[in-house]
Amino acid sequence: MSASGQNIPQVPLFINGQKVASKSTNIRNVVNPATQEILATVPFATMDEVNAAVASAKEAFKTWKKTPIGARSRIFLKYQQLIRENMKELAAILTAEQGKTLADAEGDVFRGLEVVEHASGIGNLQLGDFANNVANGVDTYSLLQPLGVCAGITPFNFPAMIPLWMFPMAIATGNTFILKPSEQDPMVTMRLVELAAEAGVPPGVLNVVHGGEEVVNAICDHPDIKAISFVGSTKVGTHVYNRASLKGKRVQCMMGAKNHAIILPDANKEQTLNNLAGAAFGAAGQRCMAISVAILVGEAKDWVADLAAKALTLKVSAGVEPGTDIGPLVSKDAHKRVTGFIDKGVAEGATLALDGRSPQVKGYEGGNFVGPTIFSGVKPGMVIYDQEIFGPVLCVSFAENLDEAIQMINANPNGNGTAIFTQSGAAARKFQEEIDVGQIGINVPIPVPVPMFSFTGSRASKLGDLGPYGKQVIAFYTQTKTVTERWFDDSTVSTGVNTTISLK
Ligand code: NAD
């Protein structure tokens, strides 16, 4: 029962096309981060329940892999329509459990919807190659066949987009799937799964188990799971990569970040400050592609006060309140961690140009709010530079020139996203060529690729060769078979025994 006396619903598992009430006694609350209202409880699935989900996916694969391309495509055409029709409801659930503004929640769903649209064109993507007459009367062709049961493990910060990066492409290519959403905000993910079933995804093809470390480890170890897609922190992703790889699985892990923007003094100042403030503080800084370090080059060093003034215009409040720019952090723990980092930055001697530790948010006094915070004079070696804060905290560093700024970024262990603001094509091109980072923006602060391309990452931000969605994910979710064939023409005179490796 909640404080208001209402029964609190429990988020079900989803196994073999059915919502299943877990038998688990290990349960945690899903909490509205603006109000602390308990919205639901989420059970951490038992090992029997994980095994039942995998068994259901394994059984369903027998028929799903044979389903014609057109039939699979039509399910995703229907699915994209259902997501559009339910957009407002999905965004409202997402804002309630995660905290981001309603407009940004719609963006979260929309960026996932684009991947669903892409999945509906799977027939154009899952094509093999064919070479005619590679030897006398011999042709060679390749088949891209589904792997079997695949799994996805997702973070709290994009509970719609990131699950939609995963299961639509896996299922459209003919696999069956086990999804393990973030235990912090599983409700919108579950609604998306219900809609997928309504669109025609058959029982067993998509299953959901909830949980934390124990369930994730079971997914890494399960002999019937062939591939795992993970998005989350570097620490957990590295563990998942190592553990699941040792079990012979194909694994891709998109992980943590410290995304730098370089601001050259020739950049359009107003546009640049708007972009920086949006990318550093939007979603309360809880985006893996948020700008968390701005390197002001040369005379741009004088822009800090104007940047702080811009940040001060942003409204901090609950995501449902009209005009809100920055919602709460996802949890009390996240609030403690982020304010702890700000305390450390002060103790380390960085200049606190804007302090967001105590925002006044009328009507939501219990919310996990941190206002926009800016440190200047930040250097490598400071904790606020070296670690991912994942909150609305922007570190400002200074560089004499572009070379120095590029060197600083390439020396950082992370390589997720980066951006440059300039009017110089030559500077932008030099940046693009010399920077070792996966996603690069040129006057674009959050360059998340659209689904024709793949999300990627360098160094500590990614493990595994192939990214989620886009062309690369077709290779991730399929096994290539290469067929070399010759049909004997009855009239052909036998050439006798060939004891060499040459095709004759
Ligand atoms: P997280 O690593 O704590 O959790 C991710 C998933 O792993 C969740 O499903 C969680 O239940 C599970 N998990 C947590 N602890 C575990 C453990 N000890 N063992 C096994 N599994 C465990 O990440 P988060 O806090 O939910 O998300 C924020 C992080 O995700 C940030 O580091 C952010 O940069 C990163 N992220 C990266 C991308 C990207 O594309 N590179 C996108 C979004 C988020």
Side-chain angles (χ1 to χ4, degrees):
M1 298 276 268
S2 71
S4 59
Q6 284 172 338
N7 276 330
I8 296 169
Q10 182 164 111
V11 182
L13 310 173
F14 193 75
I15 300 176
N16 203 24
Q18 301 291 322
K19 289 183 194 168
V20 175
S22 173
K23 294 197 167 56
S24 175
T25 50
N26 184 5
I27 284 164
R28 66 165 276 166
N29 294 332
V30 181
V31 179
N32 181 321
T35 63
Q36 307 304 338
E37 180 194 355
I38 299 172
L39 302 170
T41 57
V42 59
F44 283 28
T46 65
M47 289 308 106
D48 282 351
E49 289 162 348
V50 173
N51 289 336
V54 179
S56 146
K58 190 178 178 188
E59 186 60 28
F61 181 63
K62 291 180 189 162
T63 44
W64 182 245
K65 69 177 173 186
K66 295 181 186 157
T67 308
I69 294 171
R72 283 185 260 142
S73 289
R74 280 187 288 279
I75 290 174
F76 288 97
L77 283 170
K78 171 95 175 150
Y79 189 35
Q80 65 81 28
Q81 182 63 27
L82 286 175
I83 294 174
R84 275 174 206 286
E85 286 169 10
N86 291 277
M87 178 65 89
K88 295 279 173 217
E89 184 209 344
L90 290 163
I93 300 171
L94 201 164
T95 294
E97 63 181 341
Q98 202 276 350
K100 64 179 71 173
T101 66
L102 284 171
D104 199 29
E106 281 198 30
D108 190 329
V109 179
F110 184 77
R111 293 304 304 259
L113 171 62
E114 291 182 307
V115 181
V116 176
E117 291 169 347
H118 204 60
S120 68
I122 201 69
N124 298 310
L125 303 169
Q126 198 175 352
L127 296 174
D129 295 318
F130 186 94
N132 184 214
N133 223 30
V134 295
N136 198 4
V138 177
D139 303 323
T140 298
Y141 55 93
S142 60
L143 310 172
L144 304 184
Q145 296 193 323
L147 299 175
V149 182
C150 300
I153 300 160
T154 56
F156 79 84
N157 64 329
F158 282 99
M161 177 182 82
I162 292 177
L164 291 176
W165 280 3
M166 295 180 181
F167 70 78
M169 295 308 281
I171 292 174
T173 48
N175 300 282
T176 57
F177 207 76
I178 309 292
L179 180 64
K180 207 300 284 172
S182 170
E183 67 282 19
Q184 299 195 68
D185 48 12
M187 294 168 70
V188 70
T189 317
M190 282 311 288
R191 185 70 189 116
L192 284 164
V193 167
E194 278 173 22
L195 292 176
E198 196 179 324
V201 172
V205 172
L206 174 58
N207 304 273
V208 182
V209 290
H210 303 290
E213 184 173 357
E214 200 190 353
V215 169
V216 168
N217 285 344
I219 289 172
C220 293
D221 294 347
H222 203 297
D224 290 334
I225 295 178
K226 305 295 177 202
I228 299 180
S229 180
F230 170 92
V231 179
S233 62
T234 300
K235 181 166 167 264
V236 177
T238 305
H239 164 75
V240 166
Y241 187 83
N242 291 337
R243 186 159 178 149
S245 297
L246 272 178
K247 299 284 175 177
K249 297 186 198 330
R250 198 177 279 183
V251 195
Q252 56 172 217
C253 296
M254 308 296 127
M255 307 185 289
K258 197 82 181 177
N259 307 309
H260 298 59
I262 296 179
I263 292 90
L264 296 187
D266 70 348
N268 177 309
K269 186 173 174 187
E270 181 64 13
Q271 296 279 16
T272 301
L273 295 184
N274 282 338
N275 275 287
L276 275 183
F281 308 124
Q286 299 172 114
R287 291 181 181 133
C288 68
M289 290 286 284
I291 297 288
S292 47
V293 182
I295 309 179
L296 305 184
V297 176
E299 281 146 32
K301 71 178 184 316
D302 298 332
W303 295 8
V304 177
D306 290 333
L307 181 59
K310 182 71 74 185
L312 271 178
T313 65
L314 301 176
K315 177 175 166 181
V316 180
S317 188
V320 292
E321 290 296 331
T324 298
D325 297 298
I326 303 176
L329 291 166
V330 71
S331 64
K332 283 205 175 299
D333 280 353
H335 184 272
K336 197 167 151 206
R337 202 193 65 245
V338 171
T339 50
F341 271 117
I342 302 174
D343 296 343
K344 274 191 202 126
V346 172
E348 282 175 319
T351 306
L352 189 55
L354 184 63
D355 184 357
R357 277 175 292 188
S358 316
Q360 301 304 310
V361 186
K362 244 180 130 205
Y364 297 94
E365 284 73 12
N368 313 322
F369 296 99
V370 175
T373 298
I374 300 176
F375 279 110
S376 72
V378 177
K379 297 198 170 80
M382 291 181 173
V383 173
I384 53 169
Y385 180 82
D386 290 347
Q387 294 193 26
E388 184 181 31
I389 299 176
F390 224 55
V393 181
L394 179 64
C395 295
V396 176
S397 301
F398 304 113
E400 287 299 318
N401 51 43
L402 179 58
D403 282 314
E404 202 182 293
I406 290 175
Q407 260 176 32
M408 184 173 172
I409 298 176
N410 284 346
N412 189 280
N414 299 288
N416 201 43
T418 187
I420 189 167
F421 290 88
T422 181
Q423 311 238 28
S424 159
R429 192 164 190 290
K430 175 184 166 74
F431 174 71
Q432 159 201 305
E433 294 300 308
E434 294 184 9
I435 209 76
D436 178 16
V437 172
Q439 276 73 225
I440 298 170
I442 296 175
N443 298 313
V444 173
I446 305 200
V448 176
V450 292
M452 291 76 95
F453 299 86
S454 297
F455 201 91
T456 175
S458 295
R459 296 170 282 142
S461 295
K462 181 172 176 232
L463 283 168
D465 300 326
L466 302 166
Y469 73 82
K471 270 191 211 156
Q472 292 181 6
V473 89
I474 308 294
F476 183 77
Y477 283 125
T478 59
Q479 175 64 41
T480 306
K481 285 184 182 166
T482 313
V483 182
T484 303
E485 69 170 10
R486 165 183 280 154
W487 295 101
F488 295 107
D489 180 342
D490 287 346
S491 69
T492 306
V493 180
S494 167
T495 51
V497 178
N498 174 15
T499 55
T500 74
I501 196 168
S502 305
L503 284 166
K504 289 190 174 159

